[in-house]
Amino acid sequence: MLKRRHSDSEVVAITVDGVAVEARAGESVAAAVLVSSSEATRTTPVSESPRAPYCMMGVCFECLMEIDGVANRQACMVQVAPGMRIQRQLGARDLRGAE
Amino acid sequence: MTVPFDIAIIGAGPAGMAAAHEANSLGLSAVVIDEQNAPGGQIYRNVQRVIAERPEDIRILGTEYACGNGLADGMQSSGIKHLAGHMVWQIERDGTVWCSDGNKAKRIQARTVVLATGAMERPMPVPGWTLPGVMTAGAVQILMKSAAMIPDGPVVLAGSGPLLLLVADQLIQSGARLAAIAETTSFSHYLAALPKLPKALSAMEYLKKGLQMRRRIKASGVPIISGISGLRINGGAKATGITFKAGGRTHTIAAETVLLHQGVVPNTQASRQLRLDHGWHDTQHYWYPKTDVFGATSEEKVFIAGDGAGIFGAMAAEVSGRLSVLQIASHLGVIDVAERDRKAKPLFSEKHHHDAIRPLLDALFPPPAEILNPRDDATIICRCEEVTAGDIRKAASLGAPGPNQLKAFLRAGMGPCQGRMCGLAVTEILAAALGKSPVDIGAYRIRPPLKPLSLAELADMDTDPGTVTSSSL
Ligand code: FES
């Protein structure tokens, strides 16, 4: 869905659902996930409908993801850091927190 | 000993940064609390790094964007405290501000508060707007600024407003593939805007920029379809394009990325939490906290600067940030009224200049009725709790008289975004269903915390109110 126009900035190694992803320094988690795949970043607890970041500025809460074991974080408001573990939140798992 | 700050400034966009400058030059103690890691707000997002690391991108992002660099550098080199990466979750009328850095909650004492919390894009409820692949135009601009990212596949933009065209222009220059621009603006809007033109002529630079933008888009060959209606987004697991009506026929445009924009509105979450008096903008259909010319609100210690008090743009926001601080300085006895007025005079005329373009833009880009009150019952309004326009109309017929009662019926506005996405539409749908005005219907009551915070953040809080003050930060 997205691509980087420059690729010369420092690589930050993260994982998304256990898969290694190369992010770049300064990117938000939401940006790094969107550039790696165009799939939904979560599904809703109510009807499991697919969602992805909508506003990128912290107001819509569509980008909720599990980051380093903490569920329901706004991925557009968190910058990537080396070794960060990111999980999609699928369906009602969201309510219980991640496994 | 507790020494409160003279001013707590919430937000580091143009209004907040300018307020910080002014406070610094008047010798007031101020703290700027901002959710982002670097100053700039959304309009000047990441500007310092862009200029340092990829200055060639200024050609695309614009010289106006580059102007933010001076404000950001200036604020950082001043004596003003900047709490970056701090989310404000409660503001009290006495000047107490509660925030968190993500690990630990903090309490900040100030004599006055300047809300510089800015604007957000109007949520655009159309069928399919929750699908992955759909974003706001502003969201993609944030990706361009913060991460040099653009959409990879074909893009379509839909809606109206200066930002829609600006983002289209910037995407074209960045090499993105635009399938089309579908705008709700039609010839009748130009006619309606015509009487506002003479006043707008005094702010010629805005008109020039708008015309240049349109010319560049035209020259690129990207089709612009005007006067569209009945917009819907196609797709199952993700967006595959849009369908709409224009010129008496139905159009379908395939795209992997759909960018929506229908103007910007004040972000009233903090002003609502403070229970400030709000008014309703009849042309642009948004709530704004009522302020005087200095940004003073219905609460003595609370001021609002910038687009959070009504949409006038970044340049006007800067001026209003300075004006608020001048008034605060005179209240605190740092300057007398004569000096306040002497300093305020050129600022008022500057503000007047930037405000002159607004009536034209407001008339040219009004939000269409079908966005305010979606006709299709299946359209999702509250994205968090998946409440549809039909659900809301049904609740109204069953006796829900306003947005707050609707929460009990449908949980609308009770999800993680706390009504930021559905609030305006809920007010409009109820108003239409019950035959009342939006002012009679009112808005969601907003309670702290403004954003969710964890128990761990609260548990680690410094409870001594003297811990975070101007003397110890
Ligand atoms: S994308 Fe909207 S809050 Fe993160």
Side-chain angles (χ1 to χ4, degrees):
Chain A
M1 180 194 170
L2 291 170
K3 65 178 177 195
R4 290 187 185 88
R5 293 183 47 253
H6 305 267
S7 45
D8 39 357
S9 41
E10 186 194 332
V11 170
V12 176
I14 60 171
T15 63
V16 180
D17 295 329
V19 178
V21 166
E22 284 193 349
R24 298 290 187 278
E27 286 175 0
S28 67
V29 170
V33 172
L34 282 172
V35 85
S36 72
S37 137
S38 61
E39 300 303 314
T41 57
R42 69 171 187 120
T43 58
T44 60
V46 183
S47 72
E48 307 206 341
S49 65
R51 299 289 172 89
Y54 175 74
C55 74
M56 292 303 287
M57 60 172 278
V59 294
C60 75
F61 288 72
E62 288 293 6
C63 60
L64 297 181
M65 298 190 86
E66 183 195 318
I67 300 175
D68 286 340
V70 183
N72 291 322
R73 301 206 55 197
Q74 284 182 291
C76 72
M77 302 300 288
V78 178
Q79 280 192 9
V80 292
M84 211 173 230
R85 286 167 299 119
I86 296 146
Q87 295 276 141
R88 287 180 165 80
Q89 297 187 169
L90 301 177
R93 247 186 37 167
D94 186 358
L95 296 176
R96 299 196 298 269
E99 347 100 297
Chain B
M1 199 188 79
T2 302
V3 183
F5 289 98
D6 291 323
I7 315 178
I9 299 163
I10 321 291
M17 292 192 292
H21 271 278
E22 195 66 34
N24 191 48
S25 70
L26 292 169
L28 298 172
S29 65
V31 56
V32 179
I33 311 165
D34 186 59
E35 224 177 340
Q36 299 294 333
N37 292 311
Q42 302 308 330
I43 188 112
Y44 303 133
R45 182 86 179 252
N46 204 33
V47 64
Q48 291 168 305
R49 278 191 66 176
V50 169
I51 287 188
E53 292 171 15
R54 44 187 172 100
E56 67 278 15
D57 282 4
I58 295 302
R59 188 181 51 81
I60 293 163
L61 295 170
T63 47
E64 287 94 344
Y65 170 72
C67 287
N69 194 45
L71 273 176
D73 282 351
M75 187 180 87
Q76 284 180 329
S77 60
S78 75
I80 300 297
K81 301 285 179 202
H82 177 204
L83 295 182
H86 279 62
M87 180 268 288
V88 170
W89 51 273
Q90 181 170 2
I91 305 162
E92 292 177 33
R93 296 157 187 202
D94 68 354
T96 309
V97 179
W98 306 79
C99 59
S100 173
D101 62 6
N103 295 309
K104 197 174 168 157
K106 297 175 188 175
R107 170 168 149 179
I108 288 162
Q109 290 298 140
R111 292 192 174 90
T112 58
V113 175
V114 174
L115 296 181
T117 39
M120 55 180 267
E121 290 171 277
R122 172 187 294 282
M124 206 171 144
V126 294
W129 72 308
T130 57
L131 290 173
V134 181
M135 296 185 128
T136 67
V140 150
Q141 200 191 37
I142 288 170
L143 285 163
M144 287 192 260
K145 291 171 181 173
S146 65
M149 285 181 191
I150 55 169
D152 200 3
V155 187
V156 66
L157 294 100
S160 79
L163 186 65
L164 187 81
L165 297 174
L166 176 63
V167 171
D169 185 28
Q170 291 174 336
L171 282 172
I172 293 167
Q173 293 184 60
S174 304
R177 270 189 292 149
L178 266 58
I181 301 164
E183 55 173 15
T184 54
T185 315
S186 67
F187 185 65
S188 65
H189 295 116
Y190 283 92
L191 284 183
L194 207 54
K196 319 281 183 195
L197 187 61
K199 185 177 180 190
L201 286 173
S202 69
M204 201 61 197
E205 74 274 23
Y206 288 94
L207 290 173
K208 253 194 174 145
K209 195 185 165 201
L211 291 172
Q212 278 169 356
M213 233 156 54
R214 265 199 108 84
R215 232 187 345 253
R216 264 201 308 268
I217 294 170
K218 274 240 164 76
S220 76
V222 173
I224 304 181
I225 303 127
S226 300
I228 71 148
S229 65
L231 175 67
R232 50 197 317 128
I233 294 150
N234 308 318
K238 50 180 124 167
T240 55
I242 61 173
T243 296
F244 55 85
K245 287 200 184 65
R249 56 183 200 96
T250 302
H251 303 247
T252 292
I253 292 172
E256 283 172 27
T257 301
V258 177
L259 301 180
L260 301 178
H261 179 77
Q262 198 63 252
V264 293
V265 298
N267 184 348
T268 54
Q269 220 69 5
S271 56
R272 285 281 177 196
Q273 189 251 297
L274 275 156
R275 307 266 190 279
L276 303 180
D277 287 347
H278 285 69
W280 178 257
H281 193 298
D282 281 321
T283 323
Q284 280 294 311
H285 295 253
Y286 62 62
W287 297 108
Y288 59 89
K290 291 182 180 165
T291 54
D292 73 2
V293 288
F294 288 104
T297 67
S298 52
E299 277 301 322
E300 198 192 335
K301 296 182 172 178
V302 180
F303 286 70
I304 306 192
D307 278 358
I311 304 305
F312 292 96
M315 300 309 289
E318 256 184 61
V319 177
S320 69
R322 291 184 199 280
L323 285 168
S324 289
V325 171
L326 283 179
Q327 180 69 313
I328 288 168
S330 91
H331 282 180
L332 296 176
V334 175
I335 55 174
D336 59 21
V337 171
E339 189 179 354
R340 178 200 72 187
D341 290 345
R342 189 179 54 76
K343 289 193 148 93
K345 201 170 169 224
L347 296 176
F348 282 131
S349 59
E350 214 183 307
K351 176 102 172 53
H352 188 75
H353 171 79
H354 296 298
D355 291 356
I357 191 73
R358 286 298 138 181
L360 179 82
L361 295 178
D362 289 352
L364 196 51
F365 304 117
E370 65 180 48
I371 298 300
L372 301 174
N373 177 22
R375 282 182 293 242
D376 182 340
D377 274 344
T379 308
I380 286 181
I381 303 298
C382 167
R383 300 173 60 116
C384 299
E385 298 292 330
E386 299 182 64
V387 178
T388 65
D391 294 335
I392 296 167
R393 281 191 272 267
K394 190 158 162 226
S397 73
L398 292 174
N404 294 300
Q405 294 79 3
L406 198 70
K407 290 181 180 176
F409 279 75
L410 299 170
R411 288 193 53 81
M414 294 181 76
C417 93
Q418 293 162 294
R420 287 170 173 87
M421 287 290 112
C422 65
L424 282 170
V426 160
T427 293
E428 295 267 1
I429 293 170
L430 287 178
L434 298 171
K436 293 184 174 178
S437 73
V439 177
D440 290 334
I441 293 294
Y444 285 137
R445 217 174 348 268
I446 304 300
R447 296 198 168 84
L450 286 165
K451 279 193 176 184
L453 77 166
S454 68
L455 283 177
E457 288 169 84
L458 271 181
D460 281 346
M461 182 161 71
D462 299 315
T463 43
D464 169 14
T467 307
V468 182
T469 63
S470 58
S471 55
S472 64
L473 254 186

